[in-house]
Amino acid sequence: MAEKPQKPEEDQDDSAARGRGYGSYGNYGNYGGGYGGGGYGGAYGAGYGQGGYGRYGVKEGGNPLYAYIAMLRERFWWLILAVLVGVTIALVLTYQTMPEYRAVGKLRVFRMAPDVTANSTAANNNFNITTNDDFYTAVESMRSTAIIESVSRQLTIDEKKRVIEPYQQGNIFSGPLSEQEVFGRQRVVNPLKSTFVVTVEFTHPNRELARQVAGIFCKAIQKNSEDERLTITNPLVEKLRSEIDLIEERLRKLSDKRSDLIKTQKLLSIAKDTTTLNAERGVLVRNREDARKQIDELEIIWKLILEYKKAAKDPYDIAQVRTDERVAALGPKVTELRVLVNTMEKKYTDEHPTLIQTRAQLDQTQKELTQAVANSVNRIQASVQNARSSFDAIVANLERKDDEIYRLQAANNELERVDKEIRGQEEFLAKQKQNYEEQKLRSSTSGTSTSIKIQEMPSVADRPVNKNYYMNALTGMGLGLLVGFGLIVLMGSFDDRVKSAKDVEMGLGLPLLGTVPKVTEALGPDRALLSRQDKDKVATEAVRAIYSAMKVSPATANSRVFLVTSTRPGEGKTFVVTNLALSFAQHAERVLVIDADLRLPNVGPSLGFSGDGGVSRWFNGEMTLDEAIVRDVAPGLDVLPVGMSCRNPTQVINNPKFLAMLDEMKTRYDRIFIDSPPIGAVSDALHLVPKVDGVIYVVRFNLVHMRNAGSCLARLAETGVPILGAVLNRMSIRMASVYTDSYDPANKKYYIDTEDSDSSG
């Protein structure tokens, strides 16, 4: 292996300046920590990016506003998607939501003034509230559970069921709601600002029911206020009111019990039901007697059959069997055949065919008669069993009918008892209410209580309150903006991909040679030699800027052999190699591009070479080195492609023949660019590093993570060969204004055709 040339003194100093503390990578962005202790590159990431947005503060020294703008611009479509999802969800939920109508009534709160005479100067202030404490105390009293209980008592069972049913299931968090919870959630009591007016609202899917319940709430609140005031002035009034409430509650329970009796016991028409049941019972009694007679008759016949069987007699002699249709048809026929056989026996011998045939016919008919008799006996037996079953069913039905008549009579007696108790309670309630009104007349107003009057009875709008598509869409849009921006900030905070010069220089600790914008794939093979076709002026000028940076930098100006590598495939090494080589060739230097990616060669295909000539065939001795080199790809530019991929690339690269070839090429060319495989994928490039003067590291914009690139750079740093700088490739023009000033729109006027420039001159 050839001896590694000594680096120039200034290069060594520059390497040493970068050679202390390469392991300090970790301070970029949010990641903290590092890749390890001392090593190569003292400035590699030290102190980079304090705070979650440090690596986004690209142009203004870490201004948080610029950091958030950068995050937003880079992931703007996430924000649009979040807004669309938020609006869609809001509209879908609005469409699927059960429509609800809100009934709104208004109450006026007064303060009752004490001891006011007709000729008092304070007569106009009788109903003025002197402090807000009284007013807000009255409002809290309106929200009490006592009001809800009062409203619930005034509703019938069916009405309460209709109120609660739409909200019975609750939600996944609350579970089934109780009656108190439904009324408390759907009712709202709010004071109007700067007034002593209170609105009472009740929301429900049924418009009329919402109006009804809201009206009951208003009346219950007014009544409760009066009761409280009377309780203070006359304790007897409170006692009477409590008794009235108890009586009313008892009456409600009795009424409910009466309704249940009528509903469950079918007592709507007791006289008609009793008459019908008695008539049905009479029919069952007659059917029972008929069934009993039928059983007696059949059992007599069955007993006779059993006696015949016991005495081995033929049941054919029983009249009920003989009258069977089949038996009646076969009996005379058997008798007739017997007579015929007797006659023939006297006339013919036993072997006579006619006699034999007649005897066979007699035997067959006798068998059929015997089977018919047996079937008739079985039918009589089945009739006995069916008659008994029918009788049992009639008896059971008759017992049920008797039980139903008894139950109906008992329920009717209970209903009469309940009606009697209701009448007694109603009379007692009337007396208590009369006493209550008398005590109210004797009571005087108090200066420490309030009076509430209904100002407006509840009314209901025609449109549901929860079907406002416009407002819900705006709400969904706002939530989408918040969620989208939060998601963008979260993603940006954990994003450590290389995006800017600051990421390269401070995060990776490499000098940035330049940035290259994204070049359209439509250029095809022309992408490899952009400046020759001059079809993408921005990218061409970016490559020329990298060439200029390499010419003025002592570290690169004095280097002759460059190894170009990257972290992962697809970062554009070949594109950078061919276009940098072309730039040097266009400035009167002899340049050679060597494709050292023996596994997946790309230099030849990118330049449009055909055939399999190159390193592989030269190494196998199938052609000379001069034959393997493609001459004059451009003026001053030669290329040594791979040709066919090699099976053992590391053996080829470490072979003395390959290393000797590199030494020979140094004598022929001014500059040599070696396109090597990515460090993160394979280690082939590390075997070539000792034979080069420096490494150019290609980083693709917004693709490579700094932790991965840092790991690969650490491996390169261990070889001792200087990393001359990095090229940030495929920079997004849209994001360029955020991360760099290289592509300022003001510079666009320089990217004009020469012909246009000449014509304008």
Side-chain angles (χ1 to χ4, degrees), residues 80-136:
I80 298 297
L81 179 62
V83 171
L84 291 177
V85 170
V87 172
T88 302
I89 292 176
L91 293 178
V92 170
L93 291 178
T94 303
Y95 177 77
Q96 294 180 343
T97 299
M98 176 176 56
E100 293 182 323
Y101 299 88
R102 180 173 297 158
V104 182
K106 292 182 180 180
L107 303 176
R108 171 71 187 275
V109 182
F110 300 92
R111 179 176 178 82
M112 306 303 294
D115 301 330
V116 178
T117 61
N119 54 3
S120 173
T121 57
N124 293 330
N125 296 323
N126 282 356
F127 300 106
N128 292 335
I129 294 180
T130 57
T131 64
N132 286 334
D133 294 341
D134 293 329
F135 175 68
Y136 288 110

Side-chain angles (χ1 to χ4, degrees), residues 2 8 11 23 28 54 84 127 176 195 227 234 256 271 320 462 535 539 566 694 707:
D11 291 356
Y28 55 82
L84 291 177
F127 300 106
T195 68
D227 293 343
N234 191 343
D256 292 341
Q320 285 76 8
D462 294 332
K535 292 183 178 181
S566 64
R707 59 180 181 273

Side-chain angles (χ1 to χ4, degrees), residues 218-256:
C218 291
K219 294 176 181 178
I221 291 171
Q222 181 179 6
K223 184 177 182 299
N224 183 68
S225 174
E226 295 176 355
D227 293 343
E228 286 181 350
R229 178 164 49 84
L230 292 173
T231 300
I232 296 173
T233 58
N234 191 343
L236 182 58
V237 173
E238 172 61 16
K239 181 179 179 181
L240 289 172
R241 186 183 66 80
S242 300
E243 291 180 355
I244 289 173
D245 289 342
L246 291 175
I247 296 170
E248 288 178 343
E249 180 65 22
R250 195 176 298 118
L251 279 172
R252 274 190 291 273
K253 291 181 179 180
L254 289 172
S255 297
D256 292 341

Side-chain angles (χ1 to χ4, degrees), residues 442-658:
R442 297 191 186 101
S443 301
S444 60
T445 60
S446 172
T448 58
S449 62
T450 56
S451 177
I452 300 173
K453 302 296 181 184
I454 298 177
Q455 183 171 328
E456 290 183 9
M457 287 300 292
S459 59
V460 186
D462 294 332
R463 300 180 62 181
V465 295
N466 60 342
K467 287 284 189 177
N468 192 332
Y469 286 92
Y470 298 104
M471 184 59 66
N472 292 347
L474 290 175
T475 302
M477 183 183 298
L479 292 176
L481 287 172
L482 290 176
V483 172
F485 188 73
L487 182 63
I488 288 173
V489 171
L490 183 65
M491 294 172 62
S493 299
F494 286 93
D495 186 6
D496 74 330
R497 291 175 296 179
V498 179
K499 303 174 184 295
S500 64
K502 190 171 185 179
D503 290 342
V504 174
E505 294 175 348
M506 299 186 68
L508 300 179
L510 297 178
L512 183 66
L513 297 177
T515 60
V516 181
K518 183 177 181 180
V519 179
T520 176
E521 300 289 342
L523 294 177
D526 294 340
R527 296 175 69 253
L529 301 173
L530 274 177
S531 60
R532 187 171 64 175
Q533 286 80 20
D534 211 19
K535 292 183 178 181
D536 191 327
K537 300 183 183 302
V538 177
T540 300
E541 290 301 325
V543 174
R544 290 171 181 170
I546 297 173
Y547 164 78
S548 301
M550 294 178 66
K551 290 293 290 183
V552 300
S553 172
T556 55
N558 298 322
S559 300
R560 297 182 59 197
V561 183
F562 304 96
L563 177 74
V564 182
T565 187
S566 64
T567 304
R568 53 178 292 177
E571 295 189 60
K573 301 184 310 301
T574 303
F575 170 82
V576 173
V577 165
T578 54
N579 281 282
L580 276 180
L582 180 62
S583 297
F584 277 91
Q586 288 176 335
H587 290 80
E589 294 191 37
R590 290 288 299 167
V591 183
L592 174 66
V593 174
I594 300 177
D595 191 352
D597 191 348
L598 305 182
R599 302 171 190 265
L600 296 173
N602 192 38
V603 173
S606 65
L607 293 172
F609 294 166
S610 59
D612 55 0
V615 172
S616 58
R617 295 190 62 186
W618 163 77
F619 187 80
N620 294 330
E622 299 177 10
M623 62 172 55
T624 65
L625 183 61
D626 291 332
E627 292 174 340
I629 295 175
V630 180
R631 305 286 182 178
D632 295 326
V633 176
L637 175 62
D638 295 344
V639 175
L640 178 58
V642 174
M644 296 184 298
S645 59
C646 300
R647 294 183 178 180
N648 300 308
T650 56
Q651 295 180 9
V652 174
I653 292 173
N654 289 318
N655 193 285
K657 180 179 180 180
F658 188 87

Side-chain angles (χ1 to χ4, degrees), residues 345-466:
E345 285 176 349
K346 296 176 181 179
K347 186 176 179 180
Y348 304 112
T349 64
D350 292 339
E351 289 79 11
H352 196 280
T354 304
L355 179 59
I356 294 172
Q357 182 178 1
T358 305
R359 284 176 177 173
Q361 187 177 1
L362 175 61
D363 292 341
Q364 179 64 30
T365 306
Q366 183 65 45
K367 291 179 181 178
E368 291 179 359
L369 177 61
T370 303
Q371 184 62 40
V373 170
N375 292 339
S376 178
V377 170
N378 291 336
R379 280 194 289 272
I380 292 173
Q381 183 181 7
S383 298
V384 173
Q385 294 175 352
N386 292 336
R388 289 173 180 171
S389 299
S390 178
F391 177 79
D392 293 340
I394 293 172
V395 170
N397 197 8
L398 184 59
E399 290 176 353
R400 286 195 297 270
K401 195 65 65 177
D402 290 339
D403 292 340
E404 189 173 356
I405 292 173
Y406 175 78
R407 178 195 57 78
L408 189 62
Q409 291 175 347
N412 185 49
N413 294 334
E414 178 66 14
L415 181 62
E416 291 178 354
R417 188 192 65 78
V418 171
D419 287 338
K420 183 178 180 180
E421 189 174 355
I422 288 175
R423 287 193 295 270
Q425 291 293 330
E426 287 176 345
E427 292 176 1
F428 183 57
L429 177 62
K431 292 179 181 179
Q432 291 297 89
K433 285 186 175 181
Q434 183 178 359
N435 293 335
Y436 178 72
E437 294 299 329
E438 291 175 357
Q439 292 298 327
K440 284 175 62 176
L441 292 175
R442 297 191 186 101
S443 301
S444 60
T445 60
S446 172
T448 58
S449 62
T450 56
S451 177
I452 300 173
K453 302 296 181 184
I454 298 177
Q455 183 171 328
E456 290 183 9
M457 287 300 292
S459 59
V460 186
D462 294 332
R463 300 180 62 181
V465 295
N466 60 342

